[in-house]
């Protein structure tokens, strides 16, 4: 259908006004450079986006994500902005609270944000609806909730908890005959066991023992004892202190910021039980946790970890680290080795790529969504495979129809450093395609 030209955009009128502006000088005539129906190249209003994450709570806190977002904006703006326009990042403390998560989403609508980027929340049911009502895309959420992989307004940059747990199951399945999973007793946590089991099943192993744990606890001795006994490491069989070991029994934990607290409890309980292999997923175990627990002497030495991205020492993180060093040097909220910081960097890389592809005078939540929906391709410098969210790009994963990236990496704590177990990525798409709920 051909769109009719508005009367105020008549070509003759436009030509006359343009000629007058040229003759008299643009600064001396009101209205020069702002012809109706034409994009305003001189429109320097900032492009507004939002990043949210929980801060100052008793459970998982991710202050590095909004801090990384602000550092990214300072770098972009110092480099000329987006088509000469400033990138303005507004932040919101999600507080690990469903009501506050909804308020953050509503605030994004009030601020006319063109996207919510690189954010963390367990409350997908609360924030997804307000974003959809406002028409705001959600780019590169942390991947905690199923809604992030269901909503047509969501554009995930990784495979979320689904890929991590399936990958962790496959990683452990190569060595572990029996596995216990310690995970949060939350709605988001309820999805984790069957995902881990999908990876274990792919390796021909039995389902893991599911150990629920309170998210904000200060001690996890009871859960640690259950995890050990469920994989056969009963105290009657000897103790780690005496050299007793069960090499085919494993305990993996996915408790976010509380994983360190769990492993501290686990270390004390382990002394009276046979030693088992321990594991986790990125975001739950990180380099800063290894450092704070003794480095090469850390009880986490030898821990397996499954991540979305290359190991922290990979040179592909160089550009991000340069930005942090220059634009957030004294901001101790930002840990370049943290999966939240890394996800935010990648999400903003995707955002910038999309914004630079748009007409400078026509940048909005709608045009950002349209570009993404029509298959705009994002190059992340090898930190992920090329990302696209067009009609044919999502993978065929039951219950997670928005996944476009199912790659994970296998890492291990060796000599106090998280390093890659193998080169390159491991694709768990086929494992997720076969995933299904427990009987």
């Amino acid at each position: 259908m051909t769109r009719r030209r508005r009367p105020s955009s008549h070509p003759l009128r436009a030509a006359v006004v343009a000629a007058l502006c040229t003759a008299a000088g643009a600064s001396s005539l009101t209205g020069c450079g702002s012809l109706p129906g034409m994009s305003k190249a001189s429109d320097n209003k900032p492009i507004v986006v939002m990043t949210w994450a929980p801060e100052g709570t008793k459970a998982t806190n991710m202050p590095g994500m909004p801090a990384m977002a602000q550092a990214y904006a300072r770098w972009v703006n110092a480099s000329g902005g987006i088509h000469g326009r400033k990138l303005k990042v507004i932040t919101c403390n999600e507080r690990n609270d469903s009501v506050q998560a909804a308020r953050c989403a509503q605030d994004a609508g009030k601020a006319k944000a063109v996207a919510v980027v690189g954010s963390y929340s367990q409350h997908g049911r609360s924030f997804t609806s307000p974003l959809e009502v406002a028409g705001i895309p959600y780019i590169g959420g942390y991947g905690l909730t199923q809604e992030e992989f269901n909503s047509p307004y969501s554009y995930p940059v990784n495979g979320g908890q689904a890929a991590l747990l399936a990958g962790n199951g496959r990683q452990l399945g190569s060595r572990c005959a029996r596995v216990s999973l310690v995970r949060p007793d939350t709605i988001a946590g309820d999805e984790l066991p069957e995902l881990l089991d999908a990876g274990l099943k792919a390796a021909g192993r039995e389902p893991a023992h599911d150990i629920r744990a309170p998210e904000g606890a200060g001690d996890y001795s009871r859960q640690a004892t259950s995890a050990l006994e469920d994989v056969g490491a009963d105290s009657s069989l000897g103790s780690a202190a005496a050299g007793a070991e069960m090499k085919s029994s494993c305990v993996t934990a996915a408790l976010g910021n509380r994983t360190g607290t769990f492993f501290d409890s686990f270390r004390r309980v382990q002394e009276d039980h046979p030693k088992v292999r321990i594991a986790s997923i990125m975001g739950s175990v990180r380099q800063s946790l290894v450092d704070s627990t003794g480095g090469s002497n850390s009880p986490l030495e030898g821990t397996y970890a499954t991540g979305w991205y290359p190991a922290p020492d990979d040179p592909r993180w160089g550009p991000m680290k340069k930005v942090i060093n220059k634009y957030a040097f004294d901001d101790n909220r930002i840990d370049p080795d943290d999966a939240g910081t890394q996800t935010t960097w990648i999400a903003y890389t995707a955002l910038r790529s999309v914004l630079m592809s748009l007409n400078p005078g026509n940048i909005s939540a709608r045009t950002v969504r349209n570009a993404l929906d029509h298959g705009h391709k994002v190059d992340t410098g090898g930190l992920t495979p090329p990302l696209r969210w067009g009609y044919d790009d999502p993978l065929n994963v039951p219950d997670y129809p928005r996944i476009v990236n199912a790659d994970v990496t296998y890492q291990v704590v060796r000599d106090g450093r998280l390093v890659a177990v193998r080169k390159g990525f491991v694709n768990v798409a086929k494992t997720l395609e076969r995933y299904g709920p427990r009987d």
Side-chain angles (χ1 to χ4, degrees):
M1 180 178 69
T2 303
R3 187 184 299 274
R4 291 186 179 181
R5 187 184 299 275
R6 295 181 181 178
S8 59
S9 301
H10 194 281
L12 179 59
R13 178 180 181 275
V16 171
V17 175
L20 287 172
C21 288
T22 302
S27 63
S28 63
L29 281 177
T30 302
C32 290
S34 58
L35 297 175
M38 299 178 67
S39 66
K40 299 181 181 180
S42 62
D43 185 358
N44 287 320
K45 288 181 62 177
I47 299 169
V48 178
V49 297
M50 176 181 276
T51 295
W52 62 54
E55 299 184 52
T57 75
K58 293 181 180 180
T60 297
N61 296 297
M62 303 295 286
M65 297 182 75
M68 182 71 248
Q70 291 169 326
Y72 193 99
R74 288 192 289 271
W75 169 59
V76 166
N77 293 335
S79 305
I82 304 294
H83 298 300
R85 296 173 62 181
K86 295 286 187 182
L87 180 64
K88 180 180 178 181
V89 173
I90 56 177
T91 63
C92 189
N93 185 353
E94 182 265 1
R95 299 177 186 169
N96 280 317
D97 179 81
S98 61
V99 174
Q100 182 60 24
R103 286 175 180 167
C104 287
Q106 291 162 359
D107 288 346
K110 293 175 184 176
K112 299 189 183 304
V114 303
V116 172
V117 190
S119 295
Y120 182 106
S121 177
Q122 298 185 50
H123 302 290
R125 295 179 185 178
S126 298
F127 70 73
T128 299
S129 180
L131 289 184
E132 291 179 346
V133 169
I136 297 174
Y138 188 66
I139 301 175
Y142 193 80
L144 285 175
T145 70
Q146 192 164 333
E147 287 78 11
E148 293 173 64
F149 297 96
N150 284 341
S151 172
Y153 286 69
S154 179
Y155 304 86
V157 299
N158 57 47
Q161 298 287 86
L164 286 184
L165 268 294
N168 195 229
R170 279 181 51 177
Q171 186 178 14
L172 293 178
S174 64
R175 293 179 178 267
C176 308
R178 290 180 285 187
V179 177
S180 285
L181 167 66
V182 184
R183 52 84 171 183
D185 189 10
T186 62
I187 293 174
D190 289 344
E191 299 174 4
L192 305 187
E194 57 199 47
L195 291 163
L196 182 76
D197 291 349
L200 290 171
K201 184 177 180 180
R205 303 295 190 180
E206 294 296 315
H209 299 276
D210 181 19
I211 312 295
R212 295 179 174 86
E215 194 176 29
D219 181 82
Y220 291 99
S221 297
R222 183 173 62 82
Q223 289 79 16
T225 301
S226 295
L228 284 164
E229 293 180 351
D230 284 350
V231 294
D234 190 274
S235 58
S236 64
L237 300 177
S239 67
E245 185 174 5
M246 302 188 73
K247 293 184 178 180
S248 63
S249 294
C250 301
V251 172
T252 187
L255 290 167
N257 283 2
R258 289 291 170 174
T259 300
T261 304
F262 169 77
F263 280 132
D264 187 53
S265 299
F266 184 86
R267 175 182 55 81
R268 295 193 300 270
V269 172
Q270 173 89 100
E271 293 176 355
D272 299 322
H273 294 74
K275 185 177 180 180
V276 303
R277 186 180 298 276
I278 56 177
S280 190
I281 57 176
M282 296 309 296
S284 290
V285 63
R286 61 193 76 180
Q287 186 60 53
S288 59
L289 177 61
V290 177
D291 294 341
S292 67
T293 54
S296 59
N297 296 317
S298 169
L300 297 175
E301 183 72 15
T303 298
Y304 282 147
T306 306
W308 292 304
Y309 315 123
D313 62 351
D314 193 286
R316 284 171 285 188
W317 292 115
M320 180 190 74
K321 292 178 179 179
K322 287 181 180 178
V323 169
I324 293 172
N325 289 336
K326 186 170 183 179
Y327 295 96
F329 179 75
D330 58 351
D331 194 335
N332 59 15
R333 295 175 298 169
I334 301 178
D335 177 0
D337 299 339
D338 175 62
T341 297
Q342 295 169 349
T343 297
T344 304
W345 170 264
I346 292 169
Y348 271 87
T349 299
L351 172 76
R352 188 187 191 198
S353 175
V354 174
L355 294 179
M356 292 301 293
S357 75
L358 299 176
N359 184 316
N362 190 24
I363 293 177
S364 66
R366 178 184 58 81
T367 59
V368 170
R369 286 199 331 272
N370 284 347
L372 292 168
D373 291 342
H374 285 85
H376 176 82
K377 184 178 179 180
V378 174
D379 180 359
T380 64
L383 297 172
T384 69
L387 300 174
R388 293 176 52 143
W389 298 269
Y391 180 79
D392 294 325
D393 295 309
L395 305 175
N396 182 30
V397 179
D399 297 331
Y400 295 86
R402 297 294 290 173
I403 286 183
V404 299
N405 171 19
D407 284 2
V408 298
T409 57
Y410 292 165
Q411 300 172 34
V412 66
V413 179
R414 182 179 297 142
D415 297 325
R417 302 296 301 173
L418 270 166
V419 297
V421 172
R422 52 178 289 177
K423 290 184 178 180
F425 294 95
V426 177
N427 189 281
V428 296
K430 294 298 183 183
T431 301
L432 287 172
E433 287 176 10
R434 293 189 292 267
Y435 135 84
R438 293 181 179 208
D439 294 334

